[in-house]
Amino acid sequence: MFGGSPAVKHELKRYNVIGGEELEAAKSVIETGVLSQFLGCWDEDFYGGSKIRAFEHAWRQYFNAEHAVTVNSNTSGLMASLGALGLEPGDEVIVSPWTMCASATSILVWNAIPVFADIEADTFNLDPVSIEKNISKKTKAIMVTDIFGHPAMLDEIMAIAARNNLKVIEDVAQAPGAYYKGRFAGTVADVGVFSLNYHKHIHTGEGGVCVTNDASLAERMQLIRNHAEAVVEDKGVDNLVNMLGFNFRMGEIEAAIGIEQLKKLDKQVNRSIYVADRMSEGLAGLKGLRTPVVKSDCTHVYYVYPLVYDAELTGVSRTRLVEVLSAEGVSISGGYQNVHLLPIFQKKIAYGSRGFPWRMDGEESDVSYDKGICPVAEKLHDESFLCLPMCLYEFTDEDVDSVIEAFHKVWRHMDGI
Ligand SMILES: *Cc1c(COP(=O)(O)O)cnc(C)c1O
């Protein structure tokens, strides 16, 4: 910033989990010529080809879930799982403002209404107290995200759901392999939805997997994945609610790659934890900086490395801090996002121009997306939250040490900044 050399001296190596095993797996599929074996009718191939089935089998075994349904993205999986619950237009689903937008838009896809509850200041996950405050007569489900890699308060949330007769979908895109009280995140709620998008711990380019122990939900997700309307009659499915189909099918190449990727999940998760622990040790004690919180009986798999900064204790604004750390070569950003403040919710314009589904049948939903409904999330975003991406770079020990040194250098010079 003031002319010296930056603490992080070279560009970090791009995170890459794809190797020879994936190359061979993809090649073996290509050699067969059968790149997808799904058929959108009631046929043996309704469930997909051999790689899809083998991948789903491996996923079930690894996560100890009774059913695994592959899809072409986590977004598709969220849509399939919410549809499977049997949501009616106008039903409300409680969701976090701190998640990727798909957790909320997948609710709108079924013409249901997202209702944003606030988050906890320590793990940034949905706050059970705020969930309860937001339950109305119309609430049918809770969409809970394990944000940044730390599981949400799943027992408390499942208990709230049980008391209020709600279903729970867990968006576990950022927390594959995280543990919650001895169980894998994603296997606690009614359905857990994983992402295999390029940016995650492990990936197949694009892809996702839904897991559940509920056979009926699994069947309904399989139907929504694959042209339900053309299948229900021959399959003998009586419940036609939300049985309008999409094409959410994963290809055989992605499934073959996924089988290899799953074998690497444990290693990639341990690598994230190792890097984050080293970071936390190095950053401990810096005035006004709070390193990540990990609750007892949980593991944090650090999709990103979240920090909370108190500018009042240092006298340097967060904006200025990000500027200075960036000048030192640290890839860091201030704030996260508050999904409720996106234009789609602010203007309540989604389908067409007349406010559907908030406005339908001559009635208007009273749900509010005003700034102020999620004070904890909004304040963190506006003032104190910082994050370092963890699945963007490889992070050798030297890389981590140089990032730590950048923070210490900045803190040593706080007075001059
Ligand atoms: C990445 C992500 C998604 C979307 O995943 P896709 O597979 O890209 O559709 C959804 N929710 C969260 C929390 C994510 O991090």
Side-chain angles (χ1 to χ4, degrees), residues 340-351:
H340 62 292
L341 299 179
L342 291 176
I344 188 171
F345 299 111
Q346 289 304 301
K347 300 197 186 309
K348 294 189 179 172
I349 299 285
Y351 290 100

Side-chain angles (χ1 to χ4, degrees), residues 283 286 289 307 325 332 403-411:
L283 299 181
L286 289 177
L289 194 68
L307 289 161
L325 283 167
I332 190 166
V403 170
I404 293 167
E405 169 49 21
F407 274 82
H408 281 271
K409 184 175 167 189
V410 167
W411 254 254

Side-chain angles (χ1 to χ4, degrees), residues 71-78 98-104 143-148 171-175 193-200 205-209 303 336-337:
V71 278
N72 56 8
S73 71
N74 163 291
T75 303
S76 301
L78 296 174
W98 275 36
T99 183
M100 194 249 171
C101 55
S103 320
M143 164 73 71
V144 56
T145 301
D146 301 312
I147 197 70
F148 306 138
D171 179 347
V172 69
Q174 301 190 0
V193 186
F194 293 84
S195 174
L196 292 166
N197 167 266
Y198 169 67
H199 293 101
K200 313 297 179 180
E206 303 287 354
V209 188
Y303 175 63
Y336 183 56
Q337 62 179 347

Side-chain angles (χ1 to χ4, degrees), residues 122-125 146-152 174-181 183 185 201 266 268-277 280 290-307 385-388 390:
D122 53 359
T123 66
F124 320 106
N125 279 310
D146 301 312
I147 197 70
F148 306 138
H150 191 295
Q174 301 190 0
Y179 279 102
Y180 177 80
K181 300 190 180 176
R183 297 158 76 182
H201 285 81
D266 195 41
Q268 294 311 120
V269 162
N270 285 330
R271 163 257 173 216
S272 281
I273 294 172
Y274 171 79
V275 170
D277 284 350
S280 291
R290 197 194 78 200
T291 55
V293 171
V294 184
K295 292 197 172 168
S296 64
D297 274 343
C298 290
T299 59
H300 195 321
V301 297
Y302 300 101
Y303 175 63
V304 305
Y305 182 81
L307 289 161
F385 186 75
L386 291 166
C387 74
L388 289 159
M390 291 283 288

Side-chain angles (χ1 to χ4, degrees), residues 94-298:
I94 293 174
V95 62
S96 175
W98 275 36
T99 183
M100 194 249 171
C101 55
S103 320
T105 54
S106 56
I107 299 164
L108 279 177
V109 163
W110 297 102
N111 306 315
I113 309 292
V115 172
F116 293 92
D118 208 353
I119 61 172
E120 301 181 307
D122 53 359
T123 66
F124 320 106
N125 279 310
L126 266 180
D127 178 354
V129 175
S130 184
I131 291 176
E132 285 214 272
K133 279 193 200 144
N134 279 283
I135 291 174
S136 80
K137 284 202 297 280
K138 292 182 182 161
T139 311
K140 288 289 155 53
I142 302 167
M143 164 73 71
V144 56
T145 301
D146 301 312
I147 197 70
F148 306 138
H150 191 295
M153 301 279 277
L154 296 168
D155 276 355
E156 286 79 356
I157 292 169
M158 294 309 289
I160 292 170
R163 282 200 299 279
N164 294 278
N165 198 22
L166 312 175
K167 293 286 186 192
V168 181
I169 307 288
E170 192 180 347
D171 179 347
V172 69
Q174 301 190 0
Y179 279 102
Y180 177 80
K181 300 190 180 176
R183 297 158 76 182
F184 276 120
T187 66
V188 182
D190 294 290
V191 183
V193 186
F194 293 84
S195 174
L196 292 166
N197 167 266
Y198 169 67
H199 293 101
K200 313 297 179 180
H201 285 81
I202 58 167
H203 71 90
T204 59
E206 303 287 354
V209 188
C210 308
V211 299
T212 183
N213 291 330
D214 182 321
S216 151
L217 288 178
E219 181 192 35
R220 286 169 58 77
M221 291 192 290
Q222 287 160 340
L223 284 158
I224 292 169
R225 164 176 77 178
N226 189 9
H227 304 293
E229 68 285 351
V231 182
V232 285
E233 200 163 32
D234 290 341
K235 194 172 190 291
V237 174
D238 296 328
N239 179 2
L240 297 185
V241 174
N242 297 339
M243 287 295 106
L244 70 95
F246 294 84
N247 175 352
F248 289 159
R249 305 174 310 210
M250 173 182 269
E252 286 283 284
I253 295 176
E254 288 77 7
I257 291 172
I259 291 167
E260 299 307 319
Q261 284 285 282
L262 182 57
K263 295 177 193 163
K264 299 181 179 177
L265 177 59
D266 195 41
K267 178 166 161 259
Q268 294 311 120
V269 162
N270 285 330
R271 163 257 173 216
S272 281
I273 294 172
Y274 171 79
V275 170
D277 284 350
R278 193 180 177 91
M279 201 84 84
S280 291
E281 212 171 285
L283 299 181
L286 289 177
K287 190 168 77 180
L289 194 68
R290 197 194 78 200
T291 55
V293 171
V294 184
K295 292 197 172 168
S296 64
D297 274 343
C298 290

Side-chain angles (χ1 to χ4, degrees), residues 3-13 324-331 393 395-407 409 412:
S5 65
V8 183
K9 295 192 171 50
H10 56 269
E11 261 195 42
L12 305 190
K13 207 169 138 219
V324 182
L325 283 167
S326 302
E328 291 297 338
V330 179
S331 169
Y393 306 110
F395 284 115
T396 62
D397 284 358
E398 294 71 39
D399 295 338
V400 178
D401 292 344
S402 67
V403 170
I404 293 167
E405 169 49 21
F407 274 82
K409 184 175 167 189
R412 282 197 300 272

